[in-house]
Amino acid sequence: MSSTKTAAGAGRPGTAGPHAEGPGTAGPHAEGPGTAGRGESPVIRPRSLWRNVPFQTLWIGTSSSTLGVSVADIAYPLTILAITRSPALAGLFAAVQGLGMLVAGLPAGVLADRYDGRTIVIVAEAAQAAVTAVVAMALITGWLSLPLLFTAAALLGAGQPVKGAARMLLMRSVVPPEQLTQALTQDEVRMNGSALAGPALGGALYAVRALAHAIPFLFTAGSFLVALITAALMKTPAGRPASPRPAGRATTASGNMLAGVRTLWDQPVLRAATLLIMFVNTIGAGLELIIIVILRHQAVPSSVIGLALGIGAAGGLAGAPLVRTLHRLRPGVLLLAMCMLDVVILALLAVPFGPWWVAGLLFTVMLGVPAIRVLVDILVIRQALPEQRGRVVAALMTLIGLGMPAGVAACGVLLEYLPAQAAMLTLAAVEAVAVACCSTRRELWQARWPGETAPDGHQR
């Protein structure tokens, strides 16, 4: 399962104010203020998202940036394997990138809460475009080295949470609360569409021998520039709060930075769900690297490898219409079921039936990913205090990614000493143990959606 994140059970029974989605909400799928009662004024419907120019501008820029990252995620390991023929070094690159994301994660939340999100996105996209362009030029001129690649990995990794947290708050500044679920569903098209097109495009661009295989890196740098331009053109509401530190709170910088972590960790359901996703992400962080090695051992061309990974990602697009259906399950049940399915898929990926077998399995497991991502927004992000929302987003991203650098590096080491199929089966076995341990937590099985009535009569 791709880097999904979730939590459940946020808020306390009967609370309103910052933990409520809006007047008249009755669960995760309630999107409006409800129908007007007798004698009340009719409800004014917001304009369609397709006519919301700031949101669509943000969406286009984010789509461009995500596509560039998806292309680069294929190009970097192929480049390192071509230079060093070492899966361990390819895994180390991804580990360094993940470490950069972790180091920047919590500070990114503070930045998003305190400063203008549009400015943060512009600076982050400019920095990532510059780093990628340097890598491309070094490859073209023959000066590309491992120290340069690892430096680029750290910088690129650090940029992801910085612009990610800022974009999350930017979306909320231009989309009415009652349209957030619809906006997130459209955002799933962006994420999964990029994951679908990116690997195939990355493999095809890398197969072009011109410019020393640097074309995918030039493409990625250009995609960051498109995202920068759209952020510069985006118009945000004039009254958007700058989220300064609340007056009268004598919190230290460290304590302020950890506010999002405390929000997640103080609630048993959120803590259990976060740990489960952290385990799954750690184990599956190097999955794509192992798949690439397995298919390369079967003499599959790089363009076909990218196509197979892209077809697998189409499951995310197909899964977007299933969000409401899957959300009929309790949130903890849905999360555990998806993780158990992931264990089965990992074991089946070890069977060497070629690229289309891999594509079909990845397609299957990706069907539930949109439902998990929207689940996160409903149960965690929408329930957070507005002045802490950036820190909650960053804390969630940081905690669930905590073990990913070690997971990627471990996959590279496994590939050095084990056949690729044995490495895949090892991942399946370890994940099975982690999921079995987390499934013993009663709070996950009993977690309910916000506004849902429990058997004891209390509203969650």
Side-chain angles (χ1 to χ4, degrees):
M1 190 163 56
S2 65
S3 299
T4 56
K5 43 187 184 290
T6 186
R12 293 187 293 273
T15 56
H19 296 291
E21 288 184 54
T25 54
H29 305 298
E31 291 187 7
T35 57
R38 185 175 300 175
E40 295 179 0
S41 300
V43 175
I44 299 176
R45 298 291 181 184
R47 62 180 172 176
S48 167
L49 278 180
W50 295 106
R51 302 173 70 179
N52 186 331
V53 176
F55 170 70
Q56 295 301 334
T57 303
L58 176 66
W59 187 86
I60 291 170
T62 308
S63 299
S64 175
S65 181
T66 305
L67 179 61
V69 170
S70 187
V71 167
D73 284 345
I74 291 295
Y76 277 111
L78 288 174
T79 299
I80 294 173
L81 287 172
I83 293 174
T84 67
R85 302 187 182 277
S86 171
L89 288 175
L92 183 59
F93 175 90
V96 171
Q97 192 171 18
L99 187 60
M101 293 176 64
L102 291 179
V103 171
L106 295 181
V110 176
L111 288 174
D113 280 334
R114 292 188 178 182
Y115 300 104
D116 177 61
R118 195 167 66 98
T119 302
I120 294 172
V121 171
I122 290 172
V123 173
E125 295 290 3
Q128 290 192 314
V131 170
T132 307
V134 169
V135 171
M137 292 301 103
L139 186 59
I140 292 171
T141 58
W143 288 95
L144 187 63
S145 64
L146 286 177
L148 176 59
L149 283 169
F150 290 143
T151 301
L155 294 174
L156 293 171
Q160 289 301 108
V162 171
K163 66 183 184 183
R167 276 203 175 101
M168 186 70 73
L169 299 192
L170 272 178
M171 179 188 293
R172 280 161 168 75
S173 74
V174 297
V175 175
E178 61 270 22
Q179 289 186 325
L180 273 176
T181 298
Q182 182 185 350
L184 287 167
T185 301
Q186 180 176 333
D187 206 43
E188 284 299 313
V189 175
R190 181 264 304 176
M191 296 181 68
N192 293 294
S194 298
L196 170 63
L201 182 59
L205 292 177
Y206 185 82
V208 178
R209 297 181 179 275
L211 300 178
H213 298 282
I215 292 179
F217 300 103
L218 294 174
F219 177 90
T220 298
S223 72
F224 291 147
L225 289 177
V226 171
L228 184 157
I229 293 170
T230 56
L233 294 175
M234 179 184 173
K235 302 296 183 182
T236 55
R240 180 178 181 269
S243 300
R245 180 184 299 184
R249 291 191 183 181
T251 54
T252 63
S254 176
N256 201 20
M257 188 183 299
L258 295 176
V261 176
R262 286 195 298 269
T263 298
L264 297 175
W265 212 250
D266 287 346
Q267 301 182 57
V269 174
L270 299 186
R271 183 169 61 246
T274 302
L275 285 172
L276 175 57
I277 292 298
M278 182 178 70
F279 288 145
V280 172
N281 280 356
T282 299
I283 295 161
L287 176 62
E288 195 168 89
L289 175 62
I290 296 180
I291 289 174
I292 289 174
V293 173
I294 288 176
L295 294 179
R296 282 176 67 92
H297 286 171
Q298 298 175 45
V300 178
S302 60
S303 58
V304 178
I305 293 175
L307 181 60
L309 294 173
I311 291 174
L317 286 175
L322 301 178
V323 170
R324 284 187 178 273
T325 301
L326 292 176
H327 280 195
R328 293 174 183 171
L329 298 172
R330 290 182 182 180
V333 173
L334 174 59
L335 175 59
L336 287 167
M338 281 300 303
C339 292
M340 292 173 185
L341 174 63
D342 199 42
V343 172
V344 175
I345 295 296
L346 286 178
L348 292 176
L349 282 170
V351 182
F353 282 172
W356 314 124
W357 169 256
V358 170
L361 292 174
L362 294 179
F363 182 94
T364 300
V365 77
M366 285 294 294
L367 286 171
V369 170
I372 298 296
R373 287 179 178 147
V374 177
L375 177 150
V376 172
D377 191 272
I378 292 170
L379 294 178
V380 183
I381 301 171
R382 294 187 203 182
Q383 312 306 317
L385 293 165
E387 66 269 19
Q388 291 185 354
R389 192 162 285 150
R391 279 164 284 183
V392 170
V393 171
L396 188 63
M397 294 167 61
T398 300
L399 288 174
I400 66 171
L402 200 58
M404 290 178 68
V408 174
C411 285
V413 173
L414 283 175
L415 290 170
E416 286 286 326
Y417 297 100
L418 293 176
Q421 285 81 5
M424 186 69 77
L425 289 174
T426 301
L427 292 187
V430 175
E431 182 169 330
V433 173
V435 174
C437 290
C438 290
S439 66
T440 62
R441 306 300 296 267
R442 292 180 58 189
E443 56 264 32
L444 276 180
W445 293 103
Q446 296 174 354
R448 294 179 179 273
W449 300 103
E452 185 179 2
T453 302
D456 59 8
H458 289 91
Q459 192 180 53
R460 301 303 180 195

